[in-house]
Amino acid sequence: RSRASSDALDPARSHARWSMLLAALGRRAGSRLACAAAAAVGAYALNPAARSQCDPAPKGRVPLPPSLGLDENGNGEMKLTNLDVNIARVEDWKATIAQAKEAWAAGDKAAAEVLLRAALEKASYFGNESPPVATSMHNLAEALRHTGRSAEAITLYEPAIALFEKSAGPAHRTTTTCLLGLAAALEELGNPAGAVELYERAVRELRKVVAEEPKRAPGLAAILVRVGEAYVSTGNFAEAELALTEATDICVAKWGATSPRAVQPRLLLAETLLSRGESVRAEREATVALGASPTDRQRVRLEKVLAECLVLA
């Protein structure tokens, strides 16, 4: 018990012991644990479209939301000697998340929430600073946000981000995805300026990664699109133009000028340019986007841009 309590005060040690547990279980469980490990260190997002805290991560313990009823004293001693029990615990946690995902897909969001709360309870066995707890917090936050409870979701996103940053790093995909969820929640609550700060933070971290791993540039482009949209919401069209231009350039470099993947950033760029009174450039961008197989909805918006450009010509 004392060792579990000390781990709760030392996130690095807690994560190291979690990693040791996965390694030890891997020697016994083989491929079964490979799936468990993948689930434990990454966010199992309910929203497949999601890709991707204004204050630094707090020092010491990250307090758990009081409504979840979890023991903050490091409940759950991970005993490496009882591998079968630990395998069962991991797989039970995974199964609960899978059931939540099935309930969500079936439209039973209330049942999904109950299951996600149960998954968070089960994750506490591994320590309240462990990757499963961070993942479970993120999952529940996503569910709450997508059911219109963004304020409540924020109380889960923030500690989850702090844990992901400590265990996986600030530029890891799971950290970024959670950060983007928090930014979206702030936007939904009418705080685009707060969202911009988070998007900029995600961009800064991802730029460092892209410098070493160019293949992750499309991920940067996706975040830049959201940055651009947030800037537009705050009326900062100059910064929006810069972000959307960079996003467009990344997509064109990766997939070509006529790729459908370059349509959305180019569409947003055309709309932003038009808002700034640059109708000639807006017309050029919209014309290129129209020739890149836009969706019906995108086509309507592009044709509107072109129509307004003709009026201003």
Side-chain angles (χ1 to χ4, degrees):
R1 178 67 173 180
S2 61
R3 185 168 59 179
S5 298
S6 66
D7 283 352
L9 297 172
D10 187 347
R13 181 179 175 186
S14 176
H15 183 65
R17 291 189 62 216
W18 169 250
S19 300
M20 288 171 60
L21 172 63
L22 289 182
L25 291 176
R27 290 191 290 271
R28 281 278 300 274
S31 60
R32 278 196 300 161
L33 188 70
C35 295
V41 298
Y44 197 115
L46 287 175
N47 178 12
R51 295 294 180 204
S52 2
Q53 184 176 27
C54 302
D55 300 320
K59 297 180 180 179
R61 296 270 351 275
V62 178
L64 293 170
S67 62
L68 297 177
L70 298 183
D71 175 13
E72 291 200 2
N73 295 317
N75 65 330
E77 172 74 356
M78 294 189 296
K79 294 180 172 58
L80 299 182
T81 56
N82 198 339
L83 299 184
D84 290 334
V85 170
N86 286 315
I87 290 172
R89 290 273 191 167
V90 171
E91 294 187 344
D92 181 47
W93 172 70
K94 276 183 54 191
T96 303
I97 296 175
Q99 291 166 9
K101 186 177 181 183
E102 290 174 3
W104 185 272
D108 193 347
K109 296 181 179 180
E113 180 183 339
V114 170
L115 287 163
L116 289 172
R117 289 187 183 277
L120 183 50
E121 291 275 4
K122 293 175 181 180
S124 68
Y125 168 80
F126 301 104
N128 289 334
E129 301 278 349
S130 65
V133 165
T135 296
S136 298
M137 283 183 172
H138 179 207
N139 291 339
L140 183 53
E142 287 286 290
L144 293 172
R145 183 171 71 82
H146 287 285
T147 52
R149 294 149 69 187
S150 295
E152 189 177 350
I154 287 174
T155 67
L156 289 162
Y157 279 127
E158 289 177 335
I161 289 169
L163 293 179
F164 280 137
E165 286 182 329
K166 293 172 184 175
S167 63
H172 194 275
R173 288 179 178 87
T174 55
T175 308
T176 300
T177 300
C178 198
L179 194 66
L180 296 179
L182 176 56
L186 290 175
E187 284 189 284
E188 290 159 4
L189 291 173
N191 184 6
V196 165
E197 290 185 34
L198 294 175
Y199 289 136
E200 289 177 336
R201 177 174 155 191
V203 167
R204 285 194 301 272
E205 294 298 336
L206 199 50
R207 283 192 196 284
K208 300 174 187 176
V209 176
V210 170
E212 299 180 1
E213 300 180 59
K215 65 180 181 181
R216 292 189 60 181
L220 175 60
I223 298 176
L224 285 168
V225 167
R226 295 180 68 169
V227 172
E229 291 177 313
Y231 274 130
V232 169
S233 297
T234 62
N236 192 340
F237 296 106
E239 290 295 335
E241 179 186 341
L242 291 175
L244 294 169
T245 297
E246 184 178 0
T248 300
D249 290 344
I250 290 172
C251 291
V252 169
K254 177 69 176 179
W255 296 296
T258 59
S259 170
R261 298 188 183 190
V263 171
Q264 187 64 15
R266 202 183 287 278
L267 161 62
L268 294 170
L269 176 58
E271 291 176 335
T272 300
L273 291 169
L274 186 61
S275 296
R276 301 193 70 192
E278 299 188 40
S279 59
V280 174
R281 291 179 60 200
E283 180 180 7
R284 182 170 64 247
E285 297 294 345
T287 300
V288 174
L290 273 175
S293 303
T295 64
D296 291 341
R297 184 173 297 181
Q298 289 171 332
R299 182 178 296 278
V300 169
R301 290 171 64 181
L302 288 165
E303 290 175 347
K304 181 180 178 181
V305 169
L306 290 175
E308 292 184 21
C309 287
L310 287 175
V311 172
L312 294 174

Short mmCIF file of all heavy atoms in Angstrom, two decimals, residues 70-104:
data_model
loop_
_atom_site.label_atom_id
_atom_site.label_comp_id
_atom_site.label_asym_id
_atom_site.label_seq_id
_atom_site.Cartn_x
_atom_site.Cartn_y
_atom_site.Cartn_z
N LEU A 70 -13.33 8.23 -7.03
CA LEU A 70 -12.10 7.43 -7.01
C LEU A 70 -11.25 7.81 -5.81
O LEU A 70 -11.20 8.96 -5.38
CB LEU A 70 -11.31 7.66 -8.30
CG LEU A 70 -12.02 7.23 -9.59
CD1 LEU A 70 -11.07 7.45 -10.76
CD2 LEU A 70 -12.43 5.78 -9.54
N ASP A 71 -10.53 6.82 -5.31
CA ASP A 71 -9.63 7.04 -4.19
C ASP A 71 -8.41 7.80 -4.67
O ASP A 71 -7.72 7.36 -5.60
CB ASP A 71 -9.23 5.69 -3.59
CG ASP A 71 -8.20 5.81 -2.49
OD1 ASP A 71 -7.97 6.92 -2.01
OD2 ASP A 71 -7.66 4.77 -2.13
N GLU A 72 -8.09 8.94 -4.09
CA GLU A 72 -6.95 9.73 -4.53
C GLU A 72 -5.66 9.31 -3.85
O GLU A 72 -4.61 9.91 -4.06
CB GLU A 72 -7.20 11.21 -4.27
CG GLU A 72 -8.28 11.78 -5.16
CD GLU A 72 -8.20 13.28 -5.26
OE1 GLU A 72 -7.27 13.85 -4.68
OE2 GLU A 72 -9.04 13.86 -5.93
N ASN A 73 -5.70 8.29 -3.02
CA ASN A 73 -4.50 7.89 -2.29
C ASN A 73 -3.76 6.75 -2.97
O ASN A 73 -3.12 5.92 -2.34
CB ASN A 73 -4.87 7.48 -0.87
CG ASN A 73 -5.40 8.66 -0.08
OD1 ASN A 73 -4.83 9.74 -0.16
ND2 ASN A 73 -6.48 8.47 0.66
N GLY A 74 -3.90 6.70 -4.30
CA GLY A 74 -3.14 5.71 -5.05
C GLY A 74 -3.70 4.32 -4.91
O GLY A 74 -2.96 3.36 -4.74
N ASN A 75 -5.04 4.18 -4.96
CA ASN A 75 -5.61 2.85 -4.80
C ASN A 75 -5.20 1.95 -5.94
O ASN A 75 -5.04 2.37 -7.06
CB ASN A 75 -7.14 2.92 -4.69
CG ASN A 75 -7.77 3.41 -5.97
OD1 ASN A 75 -7.16 4.19 -6.69
ND2 ASN A 75 -8.97 2.97 -6.25
N GLY A 76 -5.03 0.68 -5.64
CA GLY A 76 -4.67 -0.26 -6.69
C GLY A 76 -3.19 -0.56 -6.70
O GLY A 76 -2.42 0.09 -7.39
N GLU A 77 -2.76 -1.50 -5.92
CA GLU A 77 -1.34 -1.88 -5.91
C GLU A 77 -1.09 -2.85 -7.05
O GLU A 77 -1.73 -3.90 -7.14
CB GLU A 77 -0.99 -2.55 -4.57
CG GLU A 77 0.41 -3.16 -4.53
CD GLU A 77 1.48 -2.10 -4.42
OE1 GLU A 77 1.15 -0.91 -4.45
OE2 GLU A 77 2.66 -2.46 -4.30
N MET A 78 -0.19 -2.49 -7.97
CA MET A 78 0.10 -3.35 -9.09
C MET A 78 1.12 -4.41 -8.67
O MET A 78 2.29 -4.09 -8.46
CB MET A 78 0.64 -2.53 -10.26
CG MET A 78 -0.38 -1.58 -10.86
SD MET A 78 0.22 -0.82 -12.38
CE MET A 78 1.60 0.13 -11.78
N LYS A 79 0.69 -5.64 -8.53
CA LYS A 79 1.58 -6.71 -8.09
C LYS A 79 2.07 -7.48 -9.32
O LYS A 79 1.33 -8.21 -9.96
CB LYS A 79 0.85 -7.64 -7.12
CG LYS A 79 0.47 -6.94 -5.80
CD LYS A 79 -0.25 -7.90 -4.89
CE LYS A 79 -0.46 -7.27 -3.51
NZ LYS A 79 -1.21 -6.03 -3.54
N LEU A 80 3.34 -7.30 -9.63
CA LEU A 80 3.90 -7.93 -10.81
C LEU A 80 3.95 -9.45 -10.67
O LEU A 80 4.09 -10.15 -11.66
CB LEU A 80 5.32 -7.39 -11.06
CG LEU A 80 5.40 -5.87 -11.32
CD1 LEU A 80 6.84 -5.49 -11.60
CD2 LEU A 80 4.51 -5.46 -12.47
N THR A 81 3.82 -9.94 -9.45
CA THR A 81 3.91 -11.38 -9.26
C THR A 81 2.63 -12.10 -9.65
O THR A 81 2.64 -13.30 -9.88
CB THR A 81 4.23 -11.70 -7.79
OG1 THR A 81 3.22 -11.10 -6.96
CG2 THR A 81 5.59 -11.15 -7.41
N ASN A 82 1.51 -11.39 -9.71
CA ASN A 82 0.24 -12.00 -10.06
C ASN A 82 -0.16 -11.59 -11.46
O ASN A 82 -1.04 -10.77 -11.67
CB ASN A 82 -0.84 -11.60 -9.04
CG ASN A 82 -2.04 -12.53 -9.11
OD1 ASN A 82 -2.25 -13.21 -10.10
ND2 ASN A 82 -2.82 -12.53 -8.05
N LEU A 83 0.50 -12.19 -12.45
CA LEU A 83 0.31 -11.75 -13.83
C LEU A 83 -1.08 -12.07 -14.35
O LEU A 83 -1.65 -11.29 -15.11
CB LEU A 83 1.37 -12.42 -14.71
CG LEU A 83 2.82 -12.07 -14.37
CD1 LEU A 83 3.76 -12.71 -15.36
CD2 LEU A 83 3.03 -10.57 -14.33
N ASP A 84 -1.64 -13.20 -13.96
CA ASP A 84 -2.97 -13.56 -14.45
C ASP A 84 -4.02 -12.54 -14.02
O ASP A 84 -4.91 -12.18 -14.80
CB ASP A 84 -3.36 -14.96 -13.97
CG ASP A 84 -2.53 -16.04 -14.66
OD1 ASP A 84 -2.06 -15.78 -15.78
OD2 ASP A 84 -2.36 -17.12 -14.06
N VAL A 85 -3.92 -12.09 -12.77
CA VAL A 85 -4.87 -11.09 -12.28
C VAL A 85 -4.72 -9.80 -13.07
O VAL A 85 -5.71 -9.17 -13.48
CB VAL A 85 -4.65 -10.82 -10.78
CG1 VAL A 85 -5.47 -9.61 -10.33
CG2 VAL A 85 -5.04 -12.05 -9.98
N ASN A 86 -3.48 -9.39 -13.32
CA ASN A 86 -3.25 -8.14 -14.04
C ASN A 86 -3.71 -8.23 -15.49
O ASN A 86 -4.25 -7.27 -16.03
CB ASN A 86 -1.77 -7.76 -13.97
CG ASN A 86 -1.40 -7.25 -12.59
OD1 ASN A 86 -2.11 -6.45 -12.01
ND2 ASN A 86 -0.29 -7.72 -12.06
N ILE A 87 -3.50 -9.39 -16.11
CA ILE A 87 -4.00 -9.59 -17.47
C ILE A 87 -5.51 -9.44 -17.48
O ILE A 87 -6.09 -8.77 -18.33
CB ILE A 87 -3.59 -10.97 -18.02
CG1 ILE A 87 -2.09 -11.01 -18.29
CG2 ILE A 87 -4.36 -11.30 -19.29
CD1 ILE A 87 -1.58 -12.39 -18.63
N ALA A 88 -6.16 -10.07 -16.52
CA ALA A 88 -7.61 -10.00 -16.44
C ALA A 88 -8.08 -8.57 -16.22
O ALA A 88 -9.09 -8.14 -16.81
CB ALA A 88 -8.11 -10.91 -15.32
N ARG A 89 -7.37 -7.82 -15.39
CA ARG A 89 -7.75 -6.43 -15.12
C ARG A 89 -7.66 -5.58 -16.39
O ARG A 89 -8.54 -4.78 -16.69
CB ARG A 89 -6.81 -5.85 -14.06
CG ARG A 89 -7.00 -6.42 -12.67
CD ARG A 89 -8.07 -5.66 -11.90
NE ARG A 89 -8.09 -6.04 -10.50
CZ ARG A 89 -8.75 -5.37 -9.56
NH1 ARG A 89 -9.46 -4.30 -9.89
NH2 ARG A 89 -8.73 -5.78 -8.31
N VAL A 90 -6.56 -5.74 -17.12
CA VAL A 90 -6.38 -4.97 -18.35
C VAL A 90 -7.47 -5.31 -19.36
O VAL A 90 -8.09 -4.43 -19.97
CB VAL A 90 -4.99 -5.23 -18.97
CG1 VAL A 90 -4.89 -4.61 -20.35
CG2 VAL A 90 -3.89 -4.66 -18.08
N GLU A 91 -7.72 -6.61 -19.52
CA GLU A 91 -8.68 -7.01 -20.53
C GLU A 91 -10.11 -6.66 -20.14
O GLU A 91 -10.95 -6.34 -20.99
CB GLU A 91 -8.53 -8.50 -20.83
CG GLU A 91 -7.17 -8.80 -21.48
CD GLU A 91 -7.03 -10.24 -21.94
OE1 GLU A 91 -7.84 -11.08 -21.50
OE2 GLU A 91 -6.13 -10.50 -22.74
N ASP A 92 -10.41 -6.68 -18.84
CA ASP A 92 -11.73 -6.25 -18.38
C ASP A 92 -11.93 -4.76 -18.65
O ASP A 92 -13.01 -4.32 -19.06
CB ASP A 92 -11.88 -6.56 -16.89
CG ASP A 92 -13.25 -6.16 -16.36
OD1 ASP A 92 -14.26 -6.48 -17.00
OD2 ASP A 92 -13.30 -5.52 -15.29
N TRP A 93 -10.90 -3.99 -18.40
CA TRP A 93 -10.95 -2.54 -18.68
C TRP A 93 -11.18 -2.29 -20.16
O TRP A 93 -12.04 -1.50 -20.56
CB TRP A 93 -9.65 -1.90 -18.20
CG TRP A 93 -9.47 -0.46 -18.58
CD1 TRP A 93 -10.15 0.62 -18.09
CD2 TRP A 93 -8.52 0.05 -19.52
NE1 TRP A 93 -9.69 1.78 -18.69
CE2 TRP A 93 -8.70 1.46 -19.56
CE3 TRP A 93 -7.55 -0.54 -20.33
CZ2 TRP A 93 -7.92 2.28 -20.38
CZ3 TRP A 93 -6.79 0.29 -21.14
CH2 TRP A 93 -6.98 1.67 -21.15
N LYS A 94 -10.41 -3.01 -20.99
CA LYS A 94 -10.58 -2.88 -22.45
C LYS A 94 -11.98 -3.25 -22.88
O LYS A 94 -12.60 -2.58 -23.72
CB LYS A 94 -9.59 -3.80 -23.17
CG LYS A 94 -8.19 -3.25 -23.37
CD LYS A 94 -7.36 -4.24 -24.17
CE LYS A 94 -8.06 -4.60 -25.47
NZ LYS A 94 -7.42 -5.73 -26.16
N ALA A 95 -12.48 -4.35 -22.32
CA ALA A 95 -13.81 -4.83 -22.72
C ALA A 95 -14.89 -3.81 -22.37
O ALA A 95 -15.85 -3.61 -23.13
CB ALA A 95 -14.11 -6.17 -22.05
N THR A 96 -14.73 -3.15 -21.23
CA THR A 96 -15.71 -2.14 -20.82
C THR A 96 -15.71 -0.97 -21.80
O THR A 96 -16.77 -0.45 -22.17
CB THR A 96 -15.40 -1.65 -19.40
OG1 THR A 96 -15.39 -2.77 -18.51
CG2 THR A 96 -16.44 -0.65 -18.93
N ILE A 97 -14.52 -0.56 -22.24
CA ILE A 97 -14.43 0.53 -23.22
C ILE A 97 -15.07 0.10 -24.54
O ILE A 97 -15.79 0.86 -25.18
CB ILE A 97 -12.97 0.95 -23.45
CG1 ILE A 97 -12.39 1.53 -22.17
CG2 ILE A 97 -12.87 1.96 -24.58
CD1 ILE A 97 -10.92 1.88 -22.25
N ALA A 98 -14.81 -1.15 -24.95
CA ALA A 98 -15.39 -1.65 -26.19
C ALA A 98 -16.92 -1.67 -26.11
O ALA A 98 -17.61 -1.32 -27.08
CB ALA A 98 -14.85 -3.05 -26.49
N GLN A 99 -17.45 -2.05 -24.96
CA GLN A 99 -18.90 -2.05 -24.77
C GLN A 99 -19.45 -0.62 -24.84
O GLN A 99 -20.53 -0.39 -25.40
CB GLN A 99 -19.26 -2.67 -23.42
CG GLN A 99 -19.00 -4.18 -23.35
CD GLN A 99 -19.04 -4.69 -21.91
OE1 GLN A 99 -19.42 -3.98 -20.99
NE2 GLN A 99 -18.63 -5.94 -21.73
N ALA A 100 -18.71 0.32 -24.29
CA ALA A 100 -19.14 1.72 -24.35
C ALA A 100 -19.17 2.21 -25.80
O ALA A 100 -20.10 2.91 -26.20
CB ALA A 100 -18.19 2.59 -23.52
N LYS A 101 -18.16 1.81 -26.55
CA LYS A 101 -18.11 2.22 -27.95
C LYS A 101 -19.28 1.63 -28.73
O LYS A 101 -19.91 2.31 -29.57
CB LYS A 101 -16.79 1.77 -28.58
CG LYS A 101 -16.58 2.28 -29.99
CD LYS A 101 -15.23 1.86 -30.54
CE LYS A 101 -15.03 2.40 -31.95
NZ LYS A 101 -13.75 1.96 -32.54
N GLU A 102 -19.62 0.38 -28.45
CA GLU A 102 -20.76 -0.25 -29.11
C GLU A 102 -22.07 0.45 -28.74
O GLU A 102 -22.93 0.68 -29.60
CB GLU A 102 -20.83 -1.73 -28.73
CG GLU A 102 -19.70 -2.58 -29.31
CD GLU A 102 -19.72 -4.00 -28.79
OE1 GLU A 102 -20.63 -4.34 -28.01
OE2 GLU A 102 -18.80 -4.77 -29.15
N ALA A 103 -22.21 0.79 -27.47
CA ALA A 103 -23.43 1.48 -27.02
C ALA A 103 -23.54 2.85 -27.70
O ALA A 103 -24.62 3.27 -28.13
CB ALA A 103 -23.42 1.64 -25.50
N TRP A 104 -22.40 3.53 -27.80
CA TRP A 104 -22.39 4.85 -28.45
C TRP A 104 -22.78 4.72 -29.91
O TRP A 104 -23.60 5.51 -30.41
CB TRP A 104 -21.00 5.46 -28.31
CG TRP A 104 -20.91 6.86 -28.83
CD1 TRP A 104 -20.62 7.25 -30.11
CD2 TRP A 104 -21.10 8.07 -28.09
NE1 TRP A 104 -20.61 8.62 -30.22
CE2 TRP A 104 -20.90 9.15 -28.98
CE3 TRP A 104 -21.40 8.34 -26.75
CZ2 TRP A 104 -21.00 10.48 -28.58
CZ3 TRP A 104 -21.50 9.67 -26.35
CH2 TRP A 104 -21.31 10.72 -27.27
#
